[in-house]
Amino acid sequence: MADENPHPVVQYLNEQPEPANEAPAQAPVQEPVQQEQQAPPLEPPRADNPTGELEERASNKLELTGPLIDSYFRELWKAMYAKLGRSRNTGLMPPVKLFVPYTMFQHLCNVAVGYGGSMKSSKTTLAVNIESFEAASKVFSPVRFGGQNYFIKKRLLDKVRVNSRTILQYSGRASVVVGKSTPVIFDYNMKQEKLTLTFYVQRYDKADFCLDLRLQALMNKD
């Protein structure tokens, strides 16, 4: 006959709930590996936007040096542009001379050579040749001149009397030509700190025919 009053310890064990089935251990969640984002490649400087690593190396990104470098390029090209006015002179133009401190010419030289120019040096002189129109367009970019495009073909207009009125009529154009046979040359005298700029100009009539055939033949060889 079973004992109606079991031992208190046995009664306690019988009253305990059965242990629940433990859930299987889950594998640790691996966090996604974040790939390092690489910086986008630097865009090559363009004629309409000559920014980038080259301008930084030439110190043209500095607050004081940058505008000073651009001001020298602006003075040089304004002197070149002034010779595109009404004239019969073609070919090699009279040189443009400008006093430039040696420390400043180093920055100008870095820009010109960086965009494709070639440099030759001697004991007292430095010469930088720009032999492509693309390189010259970057050196004399409109960005340096507040958006004004100096490196363009200058249109020439004549005053014509028509029906008792004076009108302007297109008569031709003049432009700086740049090539291997007609380079833009920066010739710098280190002793005198004087920069001499030489360049070539071709002129065209209103039918867009060149006026200097010998210069055009020289350009066609490039």
Side-chain angles (χ1 to χ4, degrees), residues 125-141:
T125 61
L126 291 172
V128 179
N129 289 18
I130 301 176
E131 299 180 349
S132 70
F133 186 83
E134 181 181 1
S137 299
K138 292 176 181 178
V139 173
F140 298 103
S141 171

Side-chain angles (χ1 to χ4, degrees), residues 64-178:
L64 296 178
T65 310
L68 191 58
I69 295 174
D70 291 344
S71 67
Y72 277 97
F73 279 121
R74 181 169 55 250
E75 290 301 319
L76 289 173
W77 181 242
K78 286 172 64 176
M80 296 171 66
Y81 190 76
K83 297 183 183 297
L84 297 181
R86 191 172 303 281
S87 173
R88 294 184 178 181
N89 294 334
T90 59
L92 183 62
M93 302 301 291
V96 175
K97 297 184 179 181
L98 184 67
F99 172 79
V100 181
Y102 177 72
T103 54
M104 184 54 57
F105 179 75
Q106 287 180 315
H107 298 300
L108 304 182
C109 185
N110 289 338
V111 173
V113 174
Y115 282 122
S118 60
M119 184 181 67
K120 296 181 180 180
S121 62
S122 64
K123 293 183 179 180
T124 58
T125 61
L126 291 172
V128 179
N129 289 18
I130 301 176
E131 299 180 349
S132 70
F133 186 83
E134 181 181 1
S137 299
K138 292 176 181 178
V139 173
F140 298 103
S141 171
V143 177
R144 306 187 192 280
F145 312 135
Q148 188 172 2
N149 190 358
Y150 285 103
F151 210 81
I152 60 175
K153 303 169 184 177
K154 186 171 184 179
R155 296 167 56 89
L156 303 177
L157 303 175
D158 287 336
K159 292 183 179 180
V160 180
R161 193 76 174 174
V162 177
N163 297 330
S164 301
R165 294 188 307 170
T166 301
I167 62 174
L168 296 178
Q169 186 177 16
Y170 175 72
S171 61
R173 62 184 176 88
S175 63
V176 175
V177 291
V178 186

